[in-house]
Amino acid sequence: MKLFLDSANIEEIKKAREWGLLDGVTTNPSLVAKEMSKGKGFREVITEILHETPGPVSIEVIATDYETMLSQALKISSLGSNAVVKLPMTLNGLNATRALKEKRIPVNSTLIFNGIQALFAAKAGAEFVSPFVGRLDDIGEDGMSVIEQIKTIFTNYDIKTKILVASIRNPLHVVRAMIMGADVITLPFDVLSKLPSHPKTDEGLSRFLKDWENAFGSMEFPL
Ligand code: G3P
């Protein structure tokens, strides 16, 4: 199971890497636009992320027609050997996925909301499918049940496309995705930061150290 960071912010990416919790990065136009609003150009934002990330980085096209999608995809792919082109799950997106598969350019098919969309993206040759669980929860549906659906469909037909769970909002989404056997989970920085901690870990550690200090009057190590 791989952990990706869902961010275009280079400081967050560097921190996740320092923690040893960065297998890859996913971005989207909203996240990249946020970083560009701070004065950086598109190429600068993306090349910095590609350089800092020890794995795949998904970068999304902003076109919706086939020809322009393809030309943007080729430019994105030329930016680095770990670049993955993110294409929306539309009919044009599927055709572009097929064309990129022939050129051996990896595609992350995004904005997936059910098992059929995931199956179609996989059949077109996508390397990753990105179902958005949080956005389904937002409209009163159970986002995680879609992950279960996709996992079953991919197992039934021996599909090798990786399930990349996106739009994660909390640690419970993460645990459920792991139990379901998702291949990749992409996390916003605030959720990633919460994952290693537990209040009982902090409480237990503080009690152990206090007991030691009470017994010996100092924290000197006896070896
Ligand atoms: O990057 C795609 C996805 O993770 C976006 O999540 O929180 O905007 O629904 P969110």
Side-chain angles (χ1 to χ4, degrees), residues 6-7 26-28 30-31 60 86 110 130 132 134-135 138 165-169 186 188:
D6 194 31
S7 173
T26 52
T27 67
N28 61 40
S30 313
L31 294 170
E60 193 162 340
K86 216 172 177 192
T110 191
S130 290
F132 279 28
R135 292 193 192 185
D138 291 345
V165 184
S167 187
I168 292 267
R169 299 282 157 78
T186 191

Side-chain angles (χ1 to χ4, degrees), residues 73-204:
L74 295 177
K75 286 177 187 162
I76 287 170
S77 168
S78 74
L79 292 177
S81 57
N82 54 339
V84 172
V85 176
K86 216 172 177 192
L87 294 176
M89 172 51 218
T90 58
L91 286 173
N92 287 338
L94 285 181
N95 283 332
T97 302
R98 257 177 235 111
L100 293 174
K101 173 75 179 172
E102 276 178 23
K103 295 180 189 294
R104 297 173 184 268
I105 294 175
V107 168
N108 176 354
S109 183
T110 191
L111 289 162
I112 287 196
F113 291 94
N114 63 42
I116 295 172
Q117 289 183 309
L119 179 76
F120 283 8
K123 277 171 74 68
E127 172 95 3
F128 301 95
V129 287
S130 290
F132 279 28
V133 295
R135 292 193 192 185
L136 282 169
D137 291 355
D138 291 345
I139 57 163
E141 293 185 30
D142 178 15
M144 291 311 299
S145 70
V146 171
I147 305 305
E148 206 167 14
Q149 205 181 89
I150 297 171
K151 183 71 187 171
T152 304
I153 293 168
F154 282 14
T155 304
N156 286 348
Y157 298 109
D158 197 25
I159 289 169
K160 303 295 180 212
T161 298
K162 296 176 189 76
I163 303 172
L164 188 161
V165 184
S167 187
I168 292 267
R169 299 282 157 78
N170 54 60
L172 194 56
H173 277 148
V174 179
V175 177
R176 290 182 69 196
M178 288 172 174
I179 291 168
M180 287 173 189
D183 301 286
V184 186
I185 302 173
T186 191
L187 301 158
F189 187 75
D190 68 314
V191 178
L192 180 72
S193 319
K194 286 178 194 155
L195 293 183
S197 321
H198 193 285
K200 294 302 280 182
T201 305
D202 298 341
E203 183 196 300

